[in-house]
Amino acid sequence: MNALAIHAPAILAESLTKTYGSGNTEVVAMRDVTLQVQRGEVVALLGPSGAGKSTLLTAIGLINPPTSGRVHLGGQLVLDGPHALMDLRAFRRKHLGFIFQRANLIPFLSALENVQVAMEINDVTPRAAKHRAHELLDYLGVGDRARHLPEELSGGQQQRVAVARALANEPGLILADEPTAALDSQRGRQVMELFAKVARERHAAVLVVTHDHRALDVFDRTLEMEDGRLRESAPSSTSSSTQT
Amino acid sequence: MNLAVRDIRHNAGRFVLTTLGIGLLLMIVMGMGGIYRGLIHEAILLVDRIDADVWIVQGGTRGPFAEISRVPVTLEDRAGAVPGVAWARRFVSHTVQREHQGRPLRMVVQGLAWPEDKGEWIPLTAGRPLRQAHFEMIADRSLGLALGDQLNLGRDRYTVVGLTRGLVGTGGDGLAFFTATDAMAIQFEVPGDALRLERAARRERVASQDLGQVLPLLLDRASGLERDIPSLSPPQISAVLLKLRPGVETQDIIETLSAWPDVTAYSTDQQKQLLLGGMVDRSRRQLGMFRVLLILISTIIMALILYTLTLDKLHDIAMLKLMGARHGVIVGLILQQALLMGALGYSLAWWLGQYAFPMFPRLVIIEARDLLILGAIVLAISVLASLLGIAKAMQVEPNKILAG
């Protein structure tokens, strides 16, 4: 991560459990999940709907804390159960990048401004933010669409802008929730390859929730969730994942 | 990057229409304040221009503007003889509504104490003061008369020899200056048939009494002109104005006059207070109530539109929060829109007012102090209106983005 320990795992989740409701209505969305992802690694998280993939992703993304367990990001203990040990908003701003099924671009900002705003929120000067936003859009192949509003872009172009936005603050960890669901297979694969490229070139960890099995070869590792439990489906030599 | 401006640009139509509506409402609020100032200006205009020190009116009344006052013409001589009085002049003022060139013409008839007062003090925009004891008039432009126009009032025909601008009475009707004799003639002009009926009635009353039957000459007198009957008083005037000699205290003269049982004396300041406290105060309160209501309506409209603009952006706000935007970024987005809406509405109100207010039938005076106060109110209501939207935005959780 950009300001965190370079050798520490990008993600270290320990015994994460998430329950909703209580008593007879209690639902366990995630059971005792432990996960470790290194920087530069691209990991796919598979599983049927309701398996707890998004719950895990949002717990690691610090937007839906677990009921129990601990989350370390870049070597820092960030969540101890539901308790935040630091300013989560500031942590997200500096170290995390998010991509979703929908691009979720802000409709009243141009493609360039959508990327730029992520940096300005992080106290980058407008001039520097604009310059870097141009660079990122060029890097992702949508530089020529910089001045266009999201409604004027195709789905693939919007998703590329969303990736550029997620990369804007050079985060150590990128979390993507079904980023290719709205794209055709060709464009979906392009986006997945883009993640792999970003992870390698920018040394970021990428955790992708996906249903798309056609592009799994792009990932370093593949994990599967079912009934709130995590298991590794494609062992890797560069990282480890433990199912408990 | 200013998110508020970019959002407005994206929702330009809705924002412009709302701002236009707010601007028009604020223009009315501004105009009502101006009408109130105009009322005050018009109410005390004549009192200020006449520049008298003491106003003597009918005893126990608050005339001649706040209520009707009738004093005898001879009061002018009595008051003029009071030590310390430089001059005493009769004052005649009444409102008439006649017809001129097929349209109703409503004016405040003012009598000048000819020959001492020919109206030299009146600020003329065209023409000249009065030069004749009869049948000349000075008219305000609001009456729609031009120099040389002739006007039939009663049995006489008056020529406009001078014009003023902005000289109106407390009711907003234009002032018309005549000699006091002409003013009284206009006021007490009675149609011939009415005179004949009145004379016949007098004769009948006298004839039915013993005195009338023994003195036939009395019957003839009763049937004759009013002015030939000593027991009937001549036409009365509205008030007598006094100008005091230098060094004479107004209060001393008022104390002297307070010993006269048939009249009441007021200083010029008291006369202004009577006008402002009585006639204008009710209008002020009424206008004030309307202004409060309109400001409330403006606030509600602004709050509503800012709230709906915020509702439209909840997903984007969730995204901003997910990206780690501070509260200040979100609050700034809504608050800046509110302030911009308020500022543009206020500017629009002022700009439109420049064209609209001169067309109002009553004088509208916009004072810098009132503009500043309204500006502060607009600032306050803009902040107030944004609170609802801000409260809603603060409730948005970043994980709302997962809801799609």
Side-chain angles (χ1 to χ4, degrees):
Chain A
M1 292 187 180
N2 49 5
L4 299 179
I6 196 82
H7 300 299
I11 303 170
L12 175 58
E14 296 177 305
S15 304
L16 299 185
T17 298
K18 179 74 180 181
T19 57
Y20 295 102
S22 60
N24 292 337
T25 59
E26 185 179 275
V27 175
V28 181
M30 186 167 62
R31 293 171 193 272
D32 203 18
V33 170
T34 295
L35 167 69
Q36 185 170 322
V37 179
Q38 301 296 334
R39 295 188 64 132
E41 192 178 18
V42 189
V43 178
L45 188 56
L46 303 172
S49 293
K53 304 186 297 294
S54 293
T55 303
L56 175 59
L57 196 79
T58 54
I60 293 168
L62 312 179
I63 52 180
N64 189 17
T67 310
S68 65
R70 300 203 290 184
V71 175
H72 304 254
L73 296 176
Q76 286 193 31
L77 178 59
V78 183
L79 284 176
D80 188 356
H83 308 294
L85 302 179
M86 57 182 60
D87 181 352
L88 299 186
R89 189 176 295 208
F91 195 94
R92 282 201 306 269
R93 187 164 61 230
K94 292 178 192 304
H95 305 298
L96 302 186
F98 293 91
I99 302 154
F100 299 96
Q101 180 178 335
R102 285 175 54 199
N104 289 313
L105 299 179
I106 296 173
F108 52 84
L109 299 181
S110 68
L112 181 76
E113 290 166 341
N114 262 287
V115 182
Q116 195 179 334
V117 74
M119 286 180 273
E120 288 192 22
I121 283 172
N122 199 24
D123 300 328
V124 178
T125 62
R127 189 184 174 88
K130 191 172 184 178
H131 180 71
R132 179 161 162 72
H134 270 300
E135 279 183 352
L136 280 168
L137 291 176
D138 286 339
Y139 173 71
L140 292 162
V142 281
D144 59 328
R145 310 294 285 168
R147 300 284 173 196
H148 291 261
L149 289 173
E151 65 193 18
E152 297 165 341
L153 304 177
S154 69
Q157 287 170 333
Q158 286 187 23
Q159 201 59 293
R160 282 164 182 266
V161 175
V163 173
R165 180 176 63 187
L167 296 175
N169 290 310
E170 298 185 344
L173 174 61
I174 295 169
L175 301 169
D177 191 359
E178 301 192 30
T180 60
L183 305 177
D184 59 43
S185 59
Q186 187 188 351
R187 291 188 190 282
R189 184 172 185 83
Q190 283 175 351
V191 170
M192 295 299 193
E193 286 172 349
L194 191 61
F195 287 149
K197 181 182 174 190
V198 166
R200 286 177 195 113
E201 291 181 1
R202 296 180 183 256
H203 208 58
V206 182
L207 179 61
V208 182
V209 170
T210 181
H211 279 114
D212 189 352
H213 290 252
R214 290 168 297 185
L216 290 182
D217 59 302
V218 172
F219 294 92
D220 298 319
R221 276 196 297 148
T222 305
L223 306 175
E224 278 194 61
M225 277 197 90
E226 194 165 355
D227 297 331
R229 297 179 191 280
L230 184 71
R231 65 183 168 83
E232 188 147 354
S233 59
S236 166
S237 59
T238 57
S239 59
S240 64
S241 151
T242 312
Q243 183 254 324
T244 57
Chain B
M1 181 187 309
N2 191 307
L3 295 176
V5 170
R6 281 165 174 78
D7 183 36
I8 288 168
R9 206 170 53 190
H10 195 246
N11 292 293
R14 188 154 35 147
F15 187 84
V16 166
L17 282 176
T18 307
T19 305
L20 188 65
I22 297 293
L24 288 172
L25 280 171
L26 290 178
M27 187 193 80
I28 297 172
V29 173
M30 205 178 271
M32 284 188 164
I35 289 171
Y36 167 61
R37 293 284 172 209
L39 278 179
I40 292 177
H41 177 81
E42 289 174 347
I44 61 175
L45 178 71
L46 193 60
V47 178
D48 270 340
R49 292 280 187 198
I50 286 173
D51 195 29
D53 293 322
V54 177
W55 294 65
I56 308 176
V57 301
Q58 183 180 338
T61 71
R62 286 169 168 72
F65 303 109
E67 65 174 305
I68 289 174
S69 161
R70 290 273 176 263
V71 292
V73 178
T74 53
L75 180 63
E76 187 181 356
D77 299 324
R78 280 165 60 198
V82 172
V85 173
W87 54 254
R89 285 180 191 165
R90 75 203 83 154
F91 179 79
V92 178
S93 178
H94 55 269
T95 302
V96 298
Q97 181 168 322
R98 304 292 159 85
E99 195 163 289
H100 177 62
Q101 296 178 342
R103 64 179 175 89
L105 182 64
R106 193 174 165 83
M107 67 174 91
V108 182
V109 173
Q110 296 290 329
L112 300 175
W114 178 275
E116 297 87 358
D117 184 359
K118 299 180 175 68
E120 283 96 344
W121 55 272
I122 300 169
L124 298 177
T125 56
R128 58 169 175 78
L130 304 182
R131 278 187 197 152
Q132 296 179 21
H134 292 290
F135 313 130
E136 285 190 346
M137 65 183 284
I138 296 167
D140 190 73
R141 287 182 187 274
S142 61
L143 295 172
L145 299 171
L147 274 183
D149 276 2
Q150 295 200 315
L151 190 64
N152 290 321
L153 294 168
R155 278 176 296 225
D156 300 314
R157 195 173 180 80
Y158 297 86
T159 303
V160 178
V161 297
L163 289 173
T164 62
R165 186 189 298 279
L167 278 186
V168 294
T170 53
D173 304 310
L175 296 183
F177 296 89
F178 303 80
T179 62
T181 316
D182 284 351
M184 284 189 283
I186 293 166
Q187 184 178 14
F188 296 109
E189 181 270 327
V190 181
D193 286 346
L195 277 176
R196 281 187 283 278
L197 285 170
E198 169 60 18
R199 286 173 191 168
R202 282 205 299 264
R203 184 186 170 85
E204 195 65 27
R205 283 201 299 277
V206 174
S208 65
Q209 294 175 4
D210 289 345
L211 193 62
Q213 289 169 355
V214 254
L215 293 172
L217 186 60
L218 199 57
L219 278 176
D220 290 342
R221 278 287 177 91
S223 314
L225 297 171
E226 259 183 14
R227 63 170 175 266
D228 294 337
I229 306 172
S231 61
L232 291 178
S233 61
Q236 296 189 312
I237 56 177
S238 305
V240 168
L241 313 181
L242 303 183
K243 187 72 181 174
L244 307 183
R245 293 184 192 285
V248 177
E249 287 296 324
T250 304
Q251 204 50 43
D252 293 343
I253 298 296
I254 289 176
E255 276 180 27
T256 302
L257 293 171
S258 67
W260 297 9
D262 58 333
V263 296
T264 300
Y266 296 110
S267 67
T268 297
D269 283 343
Q270 286 173 322
Q271 189 61 249
K272 286 182 189 174
Q273 285 310 312
L274 286 177
L275 280 166
L276 298 179
M279 301 173 70
V280 176
D281 188 56
R282 189 168 292 178
S283 300
R284 179 184 67 84
R285 279 185 284 160
Q286 181 133 330
L287 288 170
M289 291 296 287
F290 269 117
R291 294 178 81 189
V292 169
L293 279 175
L294 287 170
I295 286 171
L296 277 176
I297 293 168
S298 304
T299 311
I300 291 168
I301 291 175
M302 280 181 77
L304 199 64
I305 200 70
L306 287 165
Y307 185 70
T308 55
L309 280 171
T310 305
L311 287 184
D312 289 351
K313 286 195 293 283
L314 288 184
H315 194 79
D316 308 321
I317 288 169
M319 189 65 216
L320 286 168
K321 285 189 174 183
L322 184 76
M323 290 193 293
R326 296 174 181 86
H327 285 312
V329 173
I330 314 294
V331 172
L333 168 62
I334 300 166
L335 189 59
Q336 283 170 30
Q337 287 185 340
L339 293 174
L340 201 59
M341 191 178 282
L344 287 175
Y346 179 82
S347 306
L348 187 69
W350 181 82
W351 182 75
L352 286 174
Q354 304 297 306
Y355 298 96
F357 296 151
M359 289 190 279
F360 279 30
R362 295 293 301 260
L363 179 66
V364 180
I365 298 174
I366 305 295
E367 291 187 354
R369 193 170 69 96
D370 293 339
L371 286 176
L372 282 175
I373 291 171
L374 184 61
I377 290 171
V378 170
L379 181 69
I381 67 170
S382 301
V383 173
L384 200 64
S386 66
L387 292 182
L388 202 59
I390 288 172
K392 185 70 182 172
M394 289 298 103
Q395 290 167 5
V396 176
E397 293 292 335
N399 56 16
K400 180 182 165 61
I401 206 77
L402 302 173

